[in-house]
Amino acid sequence: MKITEKMKQRVTLSFEVYPPKTEEGMPKLMGVLDDLYAWNPDFISCTYGAGGTDKGRNLDIVRSVADAGKTIPVSHYTTIHHTRADIRRDVDQYLSVGVDHFLALRGDFAPGENETRGDFDHATGLVEFLKKTYGDRVCVSVGASCEGHILCRSLESDIAFLRRKQDLGADYIVTQLTFDMDRFRRWLDEIRTAGVTMPVAVGVMPVLSRDACIRHCLSMNGCAIPRKLARHISAHYDDPVGFAEAGKEYTIEQIYEYMDCGVNDIHLYTLNKSEAMDDILARTGLFAKE
C-alpha cells in the first residue's frame, strides 16, 4: 500500500531518522528503530548527508526498515552529483531491497560547492525523471517550505514550483519545520488556492534544546521564531531540563494545532532519539503504542 492511500483514510504518523556518523552508531540506531516501530508508524524516512555523504548507510537503514516489515521505508534522494544513469542505478538498487518510496530533493551542497554537478539543478527535474522512468512503481514526495525557501525569490514563486512538481507526478508533500502556525495556515490556504491538492505530511521538530532550536530555525531553515517560542526560550534560557520538559508541552500543542488544520500526516523529526518521542506521543493521547 502506498502512503498516499493511508493518508486518504486517516491522519497518519511517521518519523525521520538519519545515518549515524560512524558505523559503530548503527546498532544504537537499530534499537531506536525498534522503539519507534512500537508506535505503528505509517512510514519512516531516512536522510543522508550534504553532498551525498552517508548514502551507503542510508541504504542499509531503509533496507533494514523494509526487512523488519513493520512500516514503509522512505529514502531521501537528492540531485547532488547524480546523473540520469546514477539515478537509474541507485533507484534500481533501492527497489531490489523493497524500497519504492522516495523524498525527491535538490539537496544540500557540500562545503565549497555551489552547484549540483549532476544532470538536474532542481528537484523538479528529479521528480519528472523518476515518474517518467518508473511511473507508479515509485511513490515520490517533495519538500515544501511553509515560509518560503531561502533561495526562492518569493513565496508565490515557491508555491508555483510546488504546483509544477505536482503536475510532474509528485504524490505528497513533506514540509520543512515551521513554528509559526499563523504562517502555516496561510501557506496551506495559499497552496490549495493555487491548485496544489497533494496530501501534506507536516514536519514537526520537537522543542527539546535551546541551541538546537535556534540553530534549526536560523542557520538551517531560515524560518521565524514566533513570540510564543521566543518567550519559551527566554523563560528557560539557562535551564536545559526545564526547557526540554516545557518544550515537550510546546510540541504537543503544536501537534494539536496541526491536526486542527487538517493535515494528512504528523512527521516527527526524531534526531535519532526515541525516549522523547515516546513521552510526547503518549501525552498527546492521539496515537496508540503496542
Side-chain angles (χ1 to χ4, degrees), residues 32-257:
V32 168
L33 288 171
D34 285 338
D35 291 341
L36 297 177
Y37 294 147
W39 287 101
N40 299 300
D42 295 280
F43 69 93
I44 293 179
S45 69
C46 183
T47 71
Y48 57 80
T53 56
D54 297 326
K55 265 182 63 179
R57 280 195 282 270
N58 163 279
L59 177 60
D60 291 340
I61 292 164
V62 292
R63 177 167 48 197
S64 76
V65 174
D67 290 345
K70 302 286 188 179
T71 187
I72 296 172
V74 178
S75 179
H76 288 217
Y77 196 87
T78 74
T79 66
I80 306 293
H81 298 176
H82 287 146
T83 65
R84 290 173 174 83
D86 295 330
I87 297 167
R88 287 194 188 94
R89 179 202 64 218
D90 290 346
V91 173
D92 286 346
Q93 187 174 20
Y94 280 107
L95 290 173
S96 73
V97 298
V99 179
D100 58 6
H101 284 62
F102 301 91
L103 174 52
L105 304 163
R106 188 208 65 182
D108 297 325
F109 295 130
E113 295 187 351
N114 57 12
E115 56 184 20
T116 66
R117 301 186 184 184
D119 284 343
F120 303 112
D121 292 328
H122 304 285
T124 47
L126 178 57
V127 171
E128 182 176 25
F129 181 77
L130 287 171
K131 281 300 188 176
K132 282 188 174 180
T133 305
Y134 294 95
D136 289 338
R137 291 181 63 195
V138 297
C139 184
V140 178
S141 54
V142 293
S145 299
C146 307
E147 299 175 50
H149 194 282
I150 56 174
L151 297 179
C152 211
R153 66 183 66 187
S154 67
L155 184 61
E156 291 75 18
S157 176
D158 209 26
I159 292 173
F161 275 112
L162 192 59
R163 173 58 192 266
R164 176 64 177 154
K165 292 173 186 176
Q166 174 178 280
D167 294 344
L168 291 170
D171 295 291
Y172 67 100
I173 297 165
V174 180
T175 70
Q176 291 279 10
L177 73 93
T178 184
F179 291 108
D180 189 334
M181 292 305 301
D182 289 337
R183 177 63 264 176
F184 176 80
R185 293 183 186 94
R186 291 195 298 272
W187 173 83
L188 192 59
D189 287 342
E190 288 164 1
I191 68 166
R192 295 314 188 205
T193 299
V196 177
T197 59
M198 289 183 286
V200 174
V202 64
V204 178
M205 179 65 73
V207 177
L208 300 173
S209 161
R210 179 198 71 188
D211 292 345
C213 186
I214 294 171
R215 183 175 67 253
H216 282 120
C217 286
L218 302 184
S219 68
M220 299 176 69
N221 292 281
C223 61
I225 297 179
R227 180 168 179 78
K228 181 180 177 182
L229 181 56
R231 290 174 67 88
H232 171 73
I233 294 172
S234 296
H236 303 280
Y237 196 81
D238 293 316
D239 177 13
V241 175
F243 186 100
E245 182 60 26
K248 290 175 184 178
E249 289 300 321
Y250 189 103
T251 303
I252 290 165
E253 290 179 18
Q254 190 175 31
I255 290 172
Y256 288 152
E257 288 188 79

Side-chain angles (χ1 to χ4, degrees), residues 261-274:
C261 291
V263 299
N264 303 92
D265 176 87
I266 300 296
H267 187 59
L268 284 164
Y269 300 122
T270 69
L271 303 178
N272 288 8
K273 298 175 183 178
S274 57

